[in-house]
């Protein structure tokens, strides 16, 4: 699939050159938007932003409101992955307002789901749940199965974070089955990764590891390095919570390398925190404290105050 994405990017690049040659502005915008999506899916975020920003400018020039809204929403997704949460929320709100103007409930729901992700990552689980629940209602009303499945998965993640692990596993299994029915490999990988995290919390270590392995196989096939880093961090967390800190360090280090390579700061912070906790547990307190402080600083830069405060409390507990 990585080869397929590369071929798609090449096809869009060639189409873009042709549209520029003949002066077809709408063709240029569509090719740029498609190129931006492919670049996002393969974690090439800087080029994704550049392509979508140019597409957005042309759509606005042409008065194409659908094109404008779609580019705004995709830019919001990329800004979220880059840890630029305020800008991501702004883009999703702008997209939602245009979809509202166009009376397009399905696209409103997609924007709500993306907004819910930003809210979760910025410490607003209630706001995230409200957005995902509203999106779920829209998708169910419209019979839009893929969007509904995304909402179910997002709600499963929130249930895991809220400690409702049994409900989380039910929802994530539902999402997994639906993604498979729909033939969505990316969705399947995401659901497997989150299902592994929920199974780990529930004490189902073998099931969690199996979910992580299957998720990583698909993510690597797709070339989704940000998703790969996220699952590796989940795996490291599972191993560390199982008192296997030595084994946990490997997944965290792999995740850190990926996150820094593609500039994905949230996964960088999670990996640094994991490495720091592993070192701390192993008695390497000075080295562990260094990694934890790095993680804390990244979390603070992202506006993830809860995660930063938790690290601060841990560091303080060892100096008292």
């Amino acid at each position: 699939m990585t080869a397929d994405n590369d071929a798609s990017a090449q096809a869009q690049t060639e189409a873009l050159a042709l549209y520029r040659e003949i002066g077809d502005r709408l063709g240029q915008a569509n090719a740029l938007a498609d190129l931006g999506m492919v670049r996002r899916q393969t974690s090439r975020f800087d080029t994704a932003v550049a392509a979508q920003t140019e597409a957005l400018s042309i759509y606005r020039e042409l008065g194409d409101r659908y094109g404008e809204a779609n580019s705004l929403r995709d830019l919001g997704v990329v800004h979220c992955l880059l840890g630029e949460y305020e800008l991501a929320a702004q883009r999703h709100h702008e997209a939602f307002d245009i979809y509202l103007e166009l009376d397009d409930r399905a696209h409103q729901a997609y924007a709500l789901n993306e907004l819910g992700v930003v809210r979760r990552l910025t410490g607003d689980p209630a706001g995230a749940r409200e957005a995902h629940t509203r999106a779920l209602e829209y998708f169910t009303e419209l019979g839009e199965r893929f969007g509904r499945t995304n909402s179910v998965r997002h709600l499963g993640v929130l249930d895991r974070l809220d400690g409702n692990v049994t409900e989380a596993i039910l929802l994530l299994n539902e999402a997994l089955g639906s993604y498979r029915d729909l033939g969505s490999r990316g969705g399947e990988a995401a659901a497997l990764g989150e299902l592994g995290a929920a199974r780990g919390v529930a004490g189902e270590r073998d099931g969690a590891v199996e979910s992580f392995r299957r998720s990583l196989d698909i993510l690597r096939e797709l070339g989704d390095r940000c998703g790969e880093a996220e699952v590796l961090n989940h795996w490291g967390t599972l191993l560390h919570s199982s008192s296997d800190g030595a084994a946990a360090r490997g997944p965290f280090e792999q995740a850190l390398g990926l996150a820094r390579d593609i500039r994905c700061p949230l996964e960088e912070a999670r990996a640094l925190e994991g490495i720091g906790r592993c070192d701390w547990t192993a008695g390497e307190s000075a080295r562990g404290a260094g990694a934890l402080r790095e993680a804390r600083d990244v979390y603070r830069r992202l506006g993830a105050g809860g995660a930063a405060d938790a690290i601060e409390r841990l560091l303080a507990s060892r100096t008292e």
Side-chain angles (χ1 to χ4, degrees):
M1 290 295 291
T2 302
D4 290 345
N5 283 327
D6 288 342
S8 179
Q10 180 61 33
Q12 295 306 326
T13 301
E14 291 173 0
L16 176 60
L18 176 60
Y19 288 131
R20 281 179 170 156
E21 182 180 335
I22 63 176
D24 184 337
R25 297 292 279 165
L26 180 58
Q28 290 172 48
N30 291 339
L32 284 161
D34 289 343
L35 180 61
M37 284 189 284
V38 172
R39 293 307 192 198
R40 169 176 57 79
Q41 290 164 355
T42 52
S43 304
R44 299 172 189 179
F45 300 135
D46 290 343
T47 53
V49 169
Q52 284 293 358
T53 300
E54 187 177 351
L56 176 62
S57 177
I58 298 173
Y59 284 132
R60 283 174 168 166
E61 169 195 318
L62 298 173
D64 185 330
R65 297 291 274 166
Y66 263 118
E68 179 182 357
N70 292 339
S71 283
L72 284 166
R73 182 163 59 89
D74 207 65
L75 278 167
V77 174
V78 182
H79 287 307
C80 184
L81 292 167
L82 288 169
E84 298 164 350
Y85 299 131
E86 185 175 346
L87 188 53
Q90 179 184 331
R91 293 291 180 254
H92 291 315
H93 278 298
E94 289 173 330
F96 179 83
D97 288 345
I98 295 173
Y99 293 136
L100 194 63
E101 170 193 318
L102 296 170
D103 196 27
D104 187 326
R105 296 269 281 184
H107 280 92
Q108 289 170 41
Y110 278 109
L112 283 168
N113 261 346
E114 300 300 351
L115 186 59
V117 173
V118 177
R119 288 174 174 173
R120 168 170 59 83
L121 294 175
T122 52
D124 182 12
R129 187 173 292 278
E130 186 275 333
H132 293 313
T133 301
R134 194 168 153 205
L136 178 64
E137 290 170 357
Y138 286 9
F139 285 131
T140 302
E141 170 191 317
L142 295 166
E144 216 294 324
R145 191 176 178 193
F146 181 75
R148 184 184 185 283
T149 303
N150 288 340
S151 298
V152 168
R153 174 169 59 84
H154 292 312
L155 288 168
V157 173
L158 287 171
D159 279 332
R160 170 177 63 82
L161 295 173
D162 287 343
N164 303 320
V165 184
T166 301
E167 180 65 16
I169 290 173
L170 286 172
L171 289 175
L172 291 166
N173 268 316
E174 178 186 341
L176 176 61
S178 185
Y179 283 130
R180 284 174 172 163
D181 288 346
L182 293 165
S184 172
R185 297 286 280 162
E188 181 181 355
L192 281 166
E194 292 298 346
L195 183 59
R199 284 174 168 167
V201 174
E204 302 172 13
R205 174 167 169 159
D206 290 345
V209 169
E210 176 61 20
S211 292
F212 291 147
R213 289 188 191 280
R214 286 155 59 195
S215 177
L216 286 170
D217 285 345
I218 298 171
L219 291 166
R220 287 165 179 161
E221 172 190 326
L222 296 175
D224 183 348
R225 292 179 292 165
C226 188
E228 183 180 350
E230 182 178 7
V231 173
L232 286 166
N233 276 329
H234 280 320
W235 197 338
T237 299
L238 170 67
L239 293 171
H240 186 260
S241 67
S242 305
S243 301
D244 197 352
R249 212 176 196 284
F252 285 133
E253 288 179 340
Q254 290 181 61
L256 180 62
L258 284 167
R260 284 180 167 166
D261 185 47
I262 62 176
R263 199 160 71 89
C264 187
L266 179 60
E267 298 311 325
E268 177 186 2
R270 287 170 171 169
L272 283 166
E273 180 182 358
I275 290 168
R277 288 181 181 274
C278 288
D279 289 342
W280 199 280
T281 304
E284 298 284 349
S285 56
R287 187 170 69 176
L292 288 168
R293 289 190 187 100
E294 282 190 76
R296 176 199 61 194
D297 292 346
V298 177
Y299 283 135
R300 281 184 175 160
R301 189 172 76 245
L302 295 174
D309 291 346
I311 291 176
E312 196 63 58
R313 288 192 296 272
L314 175 61
L315 290 168
S317 72
R318 294 300 177 97
T319 59
E320 293 174 350

